[in-house]
Amino acid sequence: MMIEQQLRQAMEKAQKIRPAIGGFPYLADCLRQAGFLKNTWYLPSGDSFYFTSNDTLVIPGTSLIEAPSPCPQFNEPALIKALKLDQSGQTTFPAFLKNIWSAGVVMYTVDFTYRSVTYYGADNTHYQEAYLPIT
């Protein structure tokens, strides 16, 4: 199966089973079950990479900025606030990306094997959160 098809099927399955609030672990588990090892997002470009043991798929994103701009400093309290807003269903995914960019996140990686998400600043400062397995 082509990696694009694997991703599409995992996303469709997640859409059917995930709750409206707190659905991220369901999406992550569907991607893990489909053979994805990790997913990395780059900001502010919005490009995302999906990795399996054999392939990598890149999806070009929508930029969060329109011109050269200073990179925000990594701000862990602002990042945690953005995460809590998203986890409680108070933001859309595009708003989540804007919020974490404003908090100084330039990249984040979801590790489907270890069930963790690590958010990185430009200076490699980072913050990691674990998420629970779906039972």
Side-chain angles (χ1 to χ4, degrees):
M1 178 184 322
M2 301 278 297
I3 191 170
E4 298 94 328
Q5 186 178 3
Q6 279 177 269
L7 180 63
R8 186 175 48 257
Q9 287 177 351
M11 296 281 197
E12 288 171 359
K13 179 180 177 184
Q15 235 4 68
K16 291 177 186 174
I17 66 168
R18 69 188 283 186
I21 296 173
F24 169 75
Y26 292 83
L27 171 60
D29 200 54
C30 288
L31 289 166
R32 183 189 59 76
Q33 289 175 15
F36 289 92
L37 303 174
K38 68 179 182 173
N39 170 224
T40 300
W41 285 77
Y42 293 92
L43 303 177
S45 68
D47 297 336
S48 58
F49 288 72
Y50 293 82
F51 300 89
T52 68
S53 59
N54 298 318
D55 292 308
T56 303
L57 177 68
V58 61
I59 300 175
T62 301
S63 183
L64 301 174
I65 59 174
E66 296 180 13
S69 303
C71 181
Q73 292 290 323
F74 189 80
N75 181 332
E76 188 173 308
L79 170 59
I80 292 169
K81 181 180 177 183
L83 294 173
K84 289 187 183 311
L85 282 172
D86 185 64
Q87 292 164 355
S88 65
Q90 297 180 48
T91 59
T92 62
F93 186 68
F96 166 73
L97 293 178
K98 287 179 186 175
N99 290 343
I100 65 171
W101 163 248
S102 294
V105 173
V106 298
M107 176 183 84
Y108 74 91
T109 296
V110 182
D111 185 319
F112 302 122
T113 304
Y114 294 103
R115 292 183 174 91
S116 66
V117 186
T118 307
Y119 302 87
Y120 296 91
D123 64 355
N124 213 31
T125 303
H126 64 279
Y127 173 79
Q128 186 175 63
E129 270 194 349
Y131 61 90
L132 297 174
I134 302 304
T135 55

